[in-house]
Amino acid sequence: MLRPGQPAPWFVTGSPINPEFAFGSLGGFFTLMVFLPEEPEARADALAQIRASKAVRDQKNIPAFAVARDAATIATAQNEPGLYWFFDPSGAVSRLYYALNSEGAANPHWVLIDPSMRIFAVAGMDQTETLMNVVARLPAPDDHAGVPLHAPVLIVPRVFEPDLCRQLIGFYEGHGGVPSGVMREVQGKTVPVMDSTKRRRDAMIEDETLQALVRHRLQTRLLPEILKAFQFRVSRIERYMVACYDSQGGGFFKPHRDNTTAGTAHRRFACSINLNTEGHDGGELRFPEFGTRTYRPPTGGAVIFSCSLLHEATPVTRGRRYCFLPFFYDEAAAEIRAAYLATQEAQETQGLQNSEGARAQGASPASSAEVPAERAHQTA
């Protein structure tokens, strides 16, 4: 069994509204999961306990997820206030949580997960009443540790001087931004997708002179601080980009992680350098696994954090937030990126060969999405 204090295993599985729900996208609140008994009466009782829980029903801090493995339940399951479903027809999620052993024997039980995505409590079905009493008395998410939590982020002021901040904003205004998507895994490829997760416009910097100017500031003012704080030697920079969150469009970026696809797995640290902190309200960074506190570096200042951390950009409510948003990685991560790109190139080549063969036989080639080539530079 999993024990309190252990990380809750992550998974991707189906739900009534999302065929690929990423469990790792949760965080910032308590989560209750039940691996349902096979007996209809015991199963109905477990669901009734969830529906009767005011803490769950209020949907404020404690969503509950029932894990269904049988086809009949999966076919009829519907989300309702406070009660949601994970579909586990293969039993993979159940095995992660020791609710199904290697021989296929079920071990139904409850799992309560804390806001930092760690196990808070585990209870058998015969302990349901005790567990529900625990749920009813849970503290607010910000208080679950008993002390204030601080996200493991680094804030570094004075990375860009005011003139450079104005120059980068001018670059954006002169070139205009394009709508920004999010990266998703689609048929083994990492591709940009436009959805409701983010509302932002981006302008890529292709001018090598401006890139060099920015890179010099990062090398001399920021990377030494990353080495000192995290003992990580940055050797690669991915993308030179000015982004804009506009209050008129309600600019935001919902909770996400930056390295969860094959094409982004090389990313080690994210960086957000504010270019006009005084020119907007909202648009702050929040790390839900570490509470509701927000982080707002000054103009020209940077906030650095691991790409594995769940984070969000809160909505901009006044003005426009301009920021410079690179990713950092090292030579070991560069090998991961190169291997991914080589795999994609090989698949593209095979796809072209198959298409040529299909044309020779009079068939139409299948279309395929491409992974955008993002510019990366060595820092030295």
Side-chain angles (χ1 to χ4, degrees):
M1 296 293 291
L2 293 168
R3 301 297 180 191
Q6 291 180 272
W10 292 1
F11 54 85
V12 176
T13 197
S15 75
I17 61 173
N18 187 347
E20 293 187 344
F21 188 102
F23 185 71
S25 65
L26 301 179
F29 43 79
F30 288 95
T31 304
L32 180 63
M33 291 175 62
V34 59
F35 294 88
L36 293 168
E38 296 179 345
E39 300 80 8
E41 185 176 341
R43 176 179 302 205
D45 181 65
L47 295 175
Q49 291 281 354
I50 292 174
R51 294 184 176 109
S53 169
K54 185 178 186 301
V56 171
R57 194 170 60 250
D58 286 349
Q59 302 183 78
K60 292 181 179 178
N61 301 319
I62 314 169
F65 291 85
V67 181
R69 290 191 293 112
D70 65 289
T73 302
I74 290 174
T76 59
Q78 296 292 328
N79 291 338
E80 57 189 85
L83 173 59
Y84 308 93
W85 291 86
F86 287 138
F87 299 155
D88 186 30
S90 70
V93 177
S94 297
R95 283 188 288 272
L96 275 177
Y97 283 81
Y98 299 94
L100 194 66
N101 68 20
S102 59
E103 298 176 352
N107 175 32
H109 61 270
W110 301 88
V111 180
L112 183 59
I113 298 168
D114 73 21
S116 60
M117 298 294 286
R118 300 167 73 226
I119 304 298
F120 189 85
V122 179
M125 303 311 297
D126 59 342
Q127 301 171 305
T128 297
E129 184 176 352
T130 300
L131 180 74
M132 287 302 176
N133 288 333
V134 171
V135 168
R137 298 194 304 269
L138 287 173
D142 274 9
D143 300 328
H144 79 93
V147 296
L149 294 180
H150 304 272
V153 305
L154 172 66
I155 294 181
V156 181
R158 297 178 292 280
V159 177
F160 290 169
E161 65 271 26
D163 284 347
L164 180 55
C165 291
R166 287 189 287 268
Q167 183 177 354
L168 291 172
I169 293 173
F171 169 84
Y172 179 94
E173 295 296 339
H175 290 76
V178 297
S180 177
V182 295
M183 307 309 288
R184 294 279 187 265
E185 198 87 6
V186 179
Q187 298 180 348
K189 293 184 178 181
T190 299
V191 297
V193 175
M194 304 301 294
D195 64 15
S196 61
T197 302
K198 175 169 63 171
R199 190 170 297 164
R200 191 182 79 198
R201 299 180 71 89
D202 302 337
M204 303 300 296
I205 300 174
E206 301 293 344
D207 179 78
E208 293 186 359
T209 300
L210 184 53
Q211 285 185 356
L213 189 66
V214 168
R215 190 162 58 249
H216 180 264
R217 303 301 189 272
L218 298 176
Q219 288 173 321
T220 58
R221 301 175 185 177
L222 181 58
L223 302 193
E225 297 302 306
I226 295 175
L227 179 61
K228 180 171 65 176
F230 298 123
Q231 296 209 359
F232 182 84
R233 190 177 300 276
V234 173
S235 63
R236 302 264 179 161
I237 300 172
E238 179 184 336
R239 78 185 188 186
Y240 294 76
M241 185 183 81
V242 180
C244 177
Y245 293 91
D246 193 335
S247 63
Q248 291 188 356
F252 62 85
F253 200 163
K254 294 180 180 178
H256 65 284
R257 304 178 198 271
D258 288 326
N259 59 356
T260 56
T261 68
T264 59
H266 63 281
R267 295 173 177 173
R268 292 296 179 260
F269 285 90
C271 172
S272 179
I273 301 179
N274 279 350
L275 304 178
N276 68 327
T277 300
E278 299 80 10
H280 63 87
D281 294 332
E284 299 172 335
L285 280 172
R286 177 184 291 139
F287 299 84
E289 293 165 301
F290 297 89
T292 56
R293 174 180 174 177
T294 59
Y295 298 79
R296 182 185 178 98
T299 294
V303 57
I304 314 298
F305 54 93
S306 167
C307 289
S308 299
L309 294 182
L310 187 69
H311 60 284
E312 65 178 311
T314 63
V316 173
T317 57
R318 177 189 65 84
R320 286 181 166 185
R321 177 195 173 204
Y322 294 95
C323 47
F324 181 78
L325 303 175
F327 292 109
F328 299 137
Y329 58 111
D330 61 3
E331 293 309 295
E335 294 181 7
I336 295 173
R337 187 171 195 261
Y340 168 76
L341 294 175
T343 299
Q344 295 304 307
E345 183 178 356
Q347 291 178 353
E348 289 292 335
T349 300
Q350 183 63 47
L352 288 173
Q353 292 173 348
N354 292 342
S355 296
E356 291 297 330
R359 287 195 186 96
Q361 298 178 24
S364 299
S367 62
S368 62
E370 294 184 353
V371 178
E374 296 188 79
R375 181 170 300 220
H377 274 109
Q378 290 182 287
T379 61

